[in-house]
């Protein structure tokens, strides 16, 4: 009878010991919490000697860059902030409490350093979340808290969209000076292992430096830890949406010189290109801060718009030259020599029947032949014609004065008409040579400006 109930005893200890141990650990944890905070106050700095500074170690992990507002110069980032310090009033003997080495309690139970972000730009000034702290038996406290911070950042857009930014995040105690809290950085750089890549910005690094500053209001030193976030803009989006369209539109401007003057679209093309660049300029100005430093792409827009304005003005002048009427003066000798000879050969402008290698003065040659073959040019030629026709001079009516005056008048009108045509044709050729010359000049200017922009960006 005594052996019967004793048989299953070897199976009972595994069923009862583990819950009993867990219950004992829970009761010991409650007892530990009660003993620790029985006479504890979270309002005072937890040091045994009030003349000594409390060491606080700070470590920041960058998780994500949420937004970079260049116009308002505000950086919004998601950080994990770790603070560690020693609380001399919260140490215990872990052997006296069942080997409990650490407990996790709400952070409001313990004293916390008032570490804040000095260059905070948040209107609500939120701060960190109220997370738990890890309290160890030797009194060391580790407080990990996530925080979404808005910090002021001096944005330099001189090389936009090929710019880089240096944004500083300065952490320090708001009320405790360096004689009360000695703030130090745990590592020389922020932790970037869990960083989520940003589509617009590339993070080059985030070094940390410790500074001790004496402000004008107080004589005591105030240490702080400054993390410098090094950013470089990913320029692909702006190249394909702002820079390349501007370059392509800029190359359309010199083609206005290639349009025939009689088409009536030369000035319209220049004005249309100027309006398109104005729209791009407004898009860039809306996203940039209103500062004295003009972005690189803004300088390119201004230079291109100035060039297009000059080309439109030259087009109007050349059209005026092209449409010189019969009452215009003849082409000056210097213009004939410089434009119709040298520049026409340089720009390869020639009339029908000419070539670039050996241009001929077709207008002058044709005019000479026409003038020589005009009726009433020489009385001796008329006389020879009449003699060839077999009409004697004494008996032909061609020598009558009235008929000769009429024939002379008709011949003079024809000569004046040919001279006007020759003069108008020369002015049209002058306008055509100037069009071709300025087209190549402005093509070269657009190419050089594009190369300079890309060179400065590199």
């Amino acid at each position: 009878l005594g052996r019967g109930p004793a048989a299953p005893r070897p199976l009972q200890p595994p069923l009862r010991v583990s819950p009993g141990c867990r219950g004992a650990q829970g009761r010991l944890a409650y007892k530990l919490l009660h003993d620790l905070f029985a006479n504890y106050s979270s309002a005072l700095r937890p040091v045994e000697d009030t003349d000594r500074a409390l060491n606080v170690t700070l470590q920041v992990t960058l998780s994500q860059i949420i937004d970079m507002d260049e116009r308002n110069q505000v950086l919004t980032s998601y950080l994990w902030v770790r603070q560690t310090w020693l609380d001399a009033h919260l140490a215990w003997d872990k052997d006296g409490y069942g080997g409990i080495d650490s407990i996790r309690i709400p952070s409001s139970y313990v004293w916390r350093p008032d570490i804040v972000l000095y260059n905070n730009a948040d209107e609500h000034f939120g701060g960190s979340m109220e997370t738990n702290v890890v309290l160890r038996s030797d009194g060391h406290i580790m407080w990990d808290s996530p925080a979404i911070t808005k910090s002021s950042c001096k944005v330099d857009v001189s090389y936009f969209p090929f710019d880089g930014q240096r944004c500083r995040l300065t952490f320090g105690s708001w009320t405790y000076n360096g004689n009360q809290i000695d703030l130090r950085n745990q590592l020389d750089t922020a932790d970037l292992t869990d960083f989520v890549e940003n589509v617009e910005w590339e993070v080059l690094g985030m070094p940390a430096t410790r500074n001790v500053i004496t402000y004008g209001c107080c004589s005591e030193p105030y240490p702080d830890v400054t993390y410098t976030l090094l950013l470089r803009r990913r320029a692909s989006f702006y190249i394909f949406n702002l820079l390349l369209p501007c370059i392509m539109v800029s190359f359309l401007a010199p083609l206005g010189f290639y349009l025939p003057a009689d088409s009536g679209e030369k000035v319209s093309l220049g004005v249309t290109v100027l309006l398109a660049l104005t729209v791009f300029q407004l898009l860039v100005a809306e996203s940039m801060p209103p500062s004295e430093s003009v972005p690189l792409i803004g300088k390119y827009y201004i230079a291109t718009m100035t060039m297009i304005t000059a080309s439109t003005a030259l087009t109007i002048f050349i059209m005026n030259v092209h449409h010189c009427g019969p009452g215009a003066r003849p082409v000056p000798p210097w213009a004939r020599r410089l434009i119709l000879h040298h520049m026409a050969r340089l720009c390869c402008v020639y009339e029908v029947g000419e070539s670039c290698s050996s241009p001929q003065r077709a207008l002058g040659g044709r005019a000479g032949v026409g003038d020589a073959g005009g009726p009433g040019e020489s009385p001796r030629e008329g006389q020879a014609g009449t003699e060839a026709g077999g009409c004697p001079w004494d008996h032909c009516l061609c020598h009558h004065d009235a008929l000769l005056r009429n024939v002379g008048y008709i011949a003079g009108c024809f000569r004046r008409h040919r001279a006007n045509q020759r003069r108008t044709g020369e002015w049209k050729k002058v306008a055509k040579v100037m069009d071709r010359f300025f087209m190549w000049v402005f093509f070269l200017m657009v190419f050089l400006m594009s190369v300079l922009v890309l060179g400065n960006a590199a």
Side-chain angles (χ1 to χ4, degrees), residues 269-332:
L269 178 62
V271 173
T272 304
V273 172
L274 187 61
L275 290 177
L277 289 177
T278 304
V279 173
F280 284 113
Q281 175 72 15
L282 291 177
L283 291 177
V284 175
E286 287 179 357
S287 59
M288 294 294 101
S291 61
E292 294 183 357
S293 59
V294 181
L296 182 63
I297 190 172
K299 295 178 181 178
Y300 179 71
Y301 284 162
I302 293 173
T304 307
M305 292 168 65
T306 304
M307 183 198 67
I308 294 174
T309 303
S311 67
T312 306
L314 286 173
T315 299
I316 296 174
F317 172 74
I318 293 173
M319 288 182 64
N320 191 18
V321 173
H322 175 83
H323 290 287
C324 284
R329 296 180 180 180
V331 178

Side-chain angles (χ1 to χ4, degrees), residues 180-193:
Q180 296 170 333
I181 288 183
D182 186 13
L183 181 63
R184 297 184 177 273
N185 50 301
Q186 184 175 356
L187 299 176
D188 294 335
T189 180
D191 189 4
L192 301 176
T193 55

Side-chain angles (χ1 to χ4, degrees), residues 15 33 50 67 72 91 95 102 106-108 124 126 146 149 162 192 281 304 310 314 346 359 404 406 444 447 452:
L15 297 176
L33 184 63
T50 57
D67 182 37
N72 296 318
D95 295 333
S102 63
S107 58
S108 59
H124 302 293
T149 62
F162 306 97
L192 301 176
Q281 175 72 15
T304 307
L314 286 173
L346 178 65
L404 290 177
N406 293 334
L444 182 62
F447 177 76
L452 287 176

Side-chain angles (χ1 to χ4, degrees), residues 74-375:
V74 174
L75 170 67
T76 305
S77 55
Y78 180 40
L79 306 176
W80 299 345
V81 182
R82 170 176 291 183
Q83 304 175 46
T84 57
W85 66 92
L86 177 63
D87 195 322
H89 304 312
L90 295 179
W92 72 89
D93 184 9
K94 60 181 179 179
D95 295 333
Y97 292 93
I100 298 177
D101 184 58
S102 63
I103 57 174
R104 286 161 177 82
I105 57 176
S107 58
S108 59
Y109 284 17
V110 301
W111 175 89
R112 294 173 298 180
D114 56 345
I115 305 299
V116 297
L117 181 63
Y118 281 174
N119 55 335
N120 197 325
D122 192 359
E123 57 182 2
H124 302 293
F125 211 85
S128 303
M129 292 179 59
E130 294 292 335
T131 56
N132 291 341
V133 298
V134 179
L135 177 59
R136 300 192 179 277
S137 59
D138 55 359
H140 279 90
I141 298 178
M142 183 176 64
W143 183 24
D144 287 337
S145 61
I148 296 179
T149 62
K150 290 185 178 181
S151 58
S152 59
C153 177
K154 185 180 180 181
V155 179
D156 184 12
V157 293
S158 301
Y159 292 94
F160 175 84
F162 306 97
D163 57 331
Q165 305 298 333
R166 300 170 62 91
C167 296
R168 293 178 173 83
L169 290 88
T170 303
F171 295 90
S173 176
W174 191 253
T175 58
Y176 294 104
N177 55 48
N179 299 325
Q180 296 170 333
I181 288 183
D182 186 13
L183 181 63
R184 297 184 177 273
N185 50 301
Q186 184 175 356
L187 299 176
D188 294 335
T189 180
D191 189 4
L192 301 176
T193 55
D194 297 323
F195 176 71
V196 179
E197 293 292 336
N198 189 269
V199 295
E200 184 179 1
W201 296 95
E202 179 184 0
V203 177
L204 304 180
M206 196 173 178
T209 56
R210 180 179 181 270
N211 307 305
V212 179
I213 302 176
T214 302
Y215 297 96
C217 65
C218 315
S219 59
E220 298 84 2
Y222 282 84
D224 63 67
V225 175
T226 300
Y227 290 88
T228 305
L229 182 59
L230 306 179
L231 300 174
R232 182 171 61 190
R233 191 188 302 272
R234 303 181 191 270
S236 301
F237 174 82
Y238 299 97
I239 289 176
F240 285 102
N241 290 277
L242 291 179
L243 190 58
L244 285 183
C246 176
I247 293 176
M248 290 187 291
V249 170
S250 302
F251 274 100
L252 285 178
L255 292 178
F257 293 105
Y258 195 74
L259 280 176
D262 297 330
S263 64
E265 299 294 334
K266 294 172 71 69
V267 179
S268 301
L269 178 62
V271 173
T272 304
V273 172
L274 187 61
L275 290 177
L277 289 177
T278 304
V279 173
F280 284 113
Q281 175 72 15
L282 291 177
L283 291 177
V284 175
E286 287 179 357
S287 59
M288 294 294 101
S291 61
E292 294 183 357
S293 59
V294 181
L296 182 63
I297 190 172
K299 295 178 181 178
Y300 179 71
Y301 284 162
I302 293 173
T304 307
M305 292 168 65
T306 304
M307 183 198 67
I308 294 174
T309 303
S311 67
T312 306
L314 286 173
T315 299
I316 296 174
F317 172 74
I318 293 173
M319 288 182 64
N320 191 18
V321 173
H322 175 83
H323 290 287
C324 284
R329 296 180 180 180
V331 178
W334 65 268
R336 187 188 305 273
R337 182 171 56 255
L338 176 64
I339 298 177
L340 297 181
H341 290 268
H342 300 291
M343 290 179 59
R345 184 177 303 175
L346 178 65
C347 299
C348 199
V349 178
Y350 54 92
E351 300 293 340
V352 178
E354 299 178 351
S355 63
C356 295
S357 58
S358 59
Q360 301 293 330
R361 298 178 60 184
L363 289 176
R366 288 198 301 269
V369 174
D371 292 344

